[in-house]
Amino acid sequence: PLAYIGTDNRLGGLQVAEHLARLLNEKGKVYINTTNPDVSSVMNRVKGFQEGIAKFPNMEVVGVDYNLDVQQKAQEQTLATLQKYPDLRGVFGTNLFSAQGAYQAVVNAGLTGAVKIASWDATVDLINALREGKVDLVLAQKPAEIGALAVDWGYRFFTEGADIPNRLNPGFEFFTHENVDDPEMQQFIYK
């Protein structure tokens, strides 16, 4: 490829860890539910999250499960982890299915609010779950900006012979209970 234009998944995972650590007063056990062990984007999210949590001496990642993009499996895995670690304080769902399964397990276990859920991807469902208090943090990628950058740099490359930077990362936004209804944040919800 000429360039990578997209989200920095490792950095996103690292920042999710930092946000979740703050929500948990920088202490406690956390768990990761993810999709497939051979998908570089989600593995970089996992790696970044693990690196981020490692910065907090009173925090520990107790496990990583792979749900193979099956929400029901994510729910079952999260429930099993809640049973194994009754003192679990947080879960990071690395994509839509991971996060939805994780928060449903927490809701079904009656632990909403006690176990914080951090998720990746600002779908309407996850934003609604945030509004309902079932999710505590949602990372929103910027797909419109990613697409616009790809078209812009593709045009420059083919028409002007411009050198394309090796990496272009538009960044991301974090939805929280405090900003979920802010008008300027609504553009980052995937519709």
Side-chain angles (χ1 to χ4, degrees):
L2 294 173
Y4 172 80
I5 300 174
T7 302
D8 185 331
N9 289 288
R10 191 191 128 296
L11 178 62
L14 184 90
Q15 290 188 5
V16 167
E18 292 169 351
H19 282 276
L20 186 57
R22 283 194 292 277
L23 285 172
L24 299 174
N25 296 317
E26 300 180 6
K27 60 184 172 196
K29 295 176 181 172
V30 295
Y31 158 72
I32 304 167
N33 194 282
T34 191
T35 62
N36 298 287
D38 58 351
V39 176
S40 64
S41 60
V42 292
M43 291 315 299
N44 280 323
R45 295 170 193 174
V46 168
K47 181 180 178 184
F49 185 82
Q50 290 169 324
E51 291 170 0
I53 291 298
K55 294 178 180 181
F56 300 95
N58 296 319
M59 296 193 74
E60 173 189 4
V61 176
V62 296
V64 179
D65 280 323
Y66 302 94
N67 62 49
L68 308 178
D69 274 327
V70 178
Q71 182 174 325
Q72 182 63 34
K73 186 171 180 126
Q75 183 176 339
E76 293 164 2
Q77 291 168 328
T78 303
L79 183 57
T81 301
L82 289 166
Q83 291 168 345
K84 184 175 181 180
Y85 299 99
D87 56 345
L88 188 74
R89 299 197 60 224
V91 179
F92 173 37
T94 67
N95 82 336
L96 169 68
F97 303 114
S98 305
Q100 289 184 163
Y103 88 68
Q104 195 58 56
V106 168
V107 168
N108 291 348
L111 295 169
T112 302
V115 176
K116 304 294 185 191
I117 304 290
S119 66
W120 193 284
D121 285 329
T123 64
V124 171
D125 287 340
L126 286 173
I127 294 299
N128 286 337
L130 177 66
R131 286 184 175 119
E132 294 166 5
K134 298 174 183 175
V135 170
D136 301 280
L137 178 72
V138 178
L139 179 144
Q141 299 182 81
K142 296 181 175 179
E145 191 172 338
I146 291 168
L149 283 167
V151 170
D152 180 46
W153 280 99
Y155 177 82
R156 290 185 202 186
F157 176 77
F158 288 113
T159 62
E160 303 165 7
D163 289 330
I164 301 174
N166 290 339
R167 294 184 68 83
L168 290 166
N169 305 116
F172 27 79
E173 297 292 331
F174 286 96
F175 281 92
T176 64
H177 296 292
E178 292 75 30
N179 71 5
V180 68
D181 292 316
D182 288 355
E184 62 273 6
M185 291 296 289
Q186 302 314 295
Q187 66 182 313
F188 303 115
I189 299 173
Y190 308 171
K191 298 175 184 165

